[in-house]
Amino acid sequence: MITAQQAQAEGLCLRFPENLPLHATLTHEVAVTMLTRAIQLSGQVPYQWAYIDKPPDGQLCLLFIPAQFSFPPDGIRFLEQEQRYAIPIAGGRELEVIEARYGFVPNSPETTASRVRRRYRLSKGGHAQLVLVHYSRGSAVPIPPALHAQPVRAYPLRPITEPAMFVMGEKTGQKVPIGPPNATAQLTAQSRDMEALERRAAREREASMSQRAPPPPPVRLDEEDPADDLDFISTRALALTRYKRNHELMSAVFMHAAFGERSAPPPPKPYSIFDKTALDENIVKLTQEIEDLRAKAAAREAQRAEI
């Protein structure tokens, strides 16, 4: 396993695993909103080592870049040096913007350099190592023939084998064994576990509604035993469920930040989408349902033993 320094030297970066929606443009206000909310949620989601390579127009990436690391290569050559400027924000905060213009992808059909890359971070009043990167188009200039065929990184890119890791919060530095081909599979498994929990909860609700009916006949050995399913309700399953919900919450945050101002009603107040009471109630409800399922399974085992 290579070190973080070696991974960074190869052009890898720690990236938030969800694909953020494309943005043709990105205002400073939206960037501040995303970075502020990312601070709250990044402690719950492990970041993955990934490449940024020849990103499309509108691409938006949330990265964690330690102070001693430089920005990784992204497959784009820029003809202009990066320009850095700061924007004061209410509350004594400051948004730093680093802009590179006149970019192009070497050895591509592009004939002019018009790509723009902007990096945003809260240099004051935020987490300076969280960086939001946005790619767009601007004014164009001809590509110098001597540079058109000169790549900015070595190809092919090495397959990624480094595990994901937590970059903020109590779990900072903890690694999660998620390989590149397993990321999608894990999300699928999380969805499957979530659906299984919901199906079990639905069966229990139906059973509770039919408690006044005559008692059911003895359970046959060849029927599917719900107690067997309960073996899958483990700490891992609960962790995966919370992990998926965190991802969905993060995506909802960015979708709201990007498109919430376009709807007719006035935008909600900051943090209004977070209902801590509802989240706590859902956690308590889910925990209680699991405990009820285990208790009923134990009762069925006892009944079977008596038979």
Side-chain angles (χ1 to χ4, degrees):
M1 186 67 64
I2 67 174
T3 65
Q5 289 77 9
Q6 291 172 326
Q8 196 272 343
E10 293 184 0
L12 289 169
C13 56
L14 284 168
R15 180 174 177 177
F16 184 78
E18 288 293 327
N19 291 325
L20 305 182
L22 297 177
H23 288 64
T25 59
L26 186 69
T27 64
H28 296 156
E29 291 77 10
V30 171
V32 171
T33 300
M34 288 185 172
L35 288 169
T36 301
R37 293 177 178 175
I39 295 174
Q40 299 176 341
L41 299 178
S42 292
Q44 306 173 22
V45 179
Y47 278 48
Q48 293 182 350
W49 287 104
Y51 295 106
I52 301 178
D53 190 59
K54 305 172 185 176
D57 297 342
Q59 179 71 61
L60 190 64
C61 306
L62 177 61
L63 309 179
F64 180 86
I65 303 180
Q68 69 272 22
F69 289 175
S70 59
F71 187 79
D74 53 11
I76 300 177
R77 180 179 295 279
F78 291 92
L79 302 180
E80 185 182 77
Q81 294 291 328
E82 287 186 324
Q83 303 296 320
R84 186 188 305 259
Y85 54 92
I87 299 175
I89 306 172
R93 298 186 298 169
E94 184 177 88
L95 177 69
E96 182 184 65
V97 183
I98 302 176
E99 179 181 274
R101 303 181 67 86
Y102 306 117
F104 67 95
V105 176
N107 287 318
S108 71
E110 296 179 354
T111 58
T112 59
S114 61
R115 295 176 181 262
V116 179
R117 181 184 69 203
R118 293 184 178 91
R119 293 187 275 153
Y120 303 88
R121 72 184 186 103
L122 292 174
S123 54
K124 294 182 181 179
H127 200 295
Q129 295 177 334
L130 285 178
V131 179
L132 196 64
V133 188
H134 181 245
Y135 293 88
S136 61
R137 294 278 181 170
S139 56
V141 299
I143 300 175
L147 298 178
H148 189 275
Q150 292 186 10
V152 291
R153 72 189 323 167
Y155 292 96
L157 301 178
R158 179 182 64 82
I160 303 173
T161 58
E162 286 67 40
M165 64 182 296
F166 288 93
V167 298
M168 296 175 57
E170 298 179 354
K171 299 181 180 180
T172 299
Q174 293 187 18
K175 297 181 179 180
V176 181
I178 305 176
N182 297 328
T184 302
Q186 189 194 30
L187 291 178
T188 302
Q190 293 168 3
S191 299
R192 185 169 57 250
D193 291 339
M194 186 65 180
E195 292 172 357
L197 288 173
E198 292 175 352
R199 285 197 300 269
R200 296 187 190 104
R203 289 201 299 266
E204 291 302 319
R205 286 194 297 269
E206 292 176 358
S208 63
M209 295 178 63
S210 60
Q211 287 179 352
R212 299 180 181 179
V219 179
R220 297 186 321 189
L221 295 179
D222 58 343
E223 291 183 351
E224 180 182 359
D225 190 355
D228 295 337
D229 292 339
L230 292 175
D231 294 338
F232 294 98
I233 303 179
S234 62
T235 303
R236 178 179 179 275
L238 292 176
L240 289 175
T241 301
R242 295 190 184 102
Y243 182 65
K244 175 176 179 292
R245 285 181 172 176
N246 289 336
H247 279 249
E248 294 174 348
L249 182 60
M250 192 67 169
S251 296
V253 168
F254 285 148
M255 286 293 293
H256 173 76
F259 304 109
E261 298 180 356
R262 299 182 184 179
S263 58
K269 296 181 179 180
Y271 314 108
S272 63
I273 63 173
F274 298 99
D275 190 341
K276 184 176 185 303
T277 301
L279 290 175
D280 291 340
E281 291 177 354
N282 288 337
I283 293 174
V284 173
K285 182 178 178 182
L286 179 60
T287 304
Q288 185 61 46
E289 289 178 352
I290 292 175
E291 293 298 329
D292 292 343
L293 286 172
R294 293 188 181 277
K296 291 182 179 180
R300 291 192 183 99
E301 288 294 331
Q303 182 181 11
R304 181 182 298 174
E306 293 177 358
I307 296 175

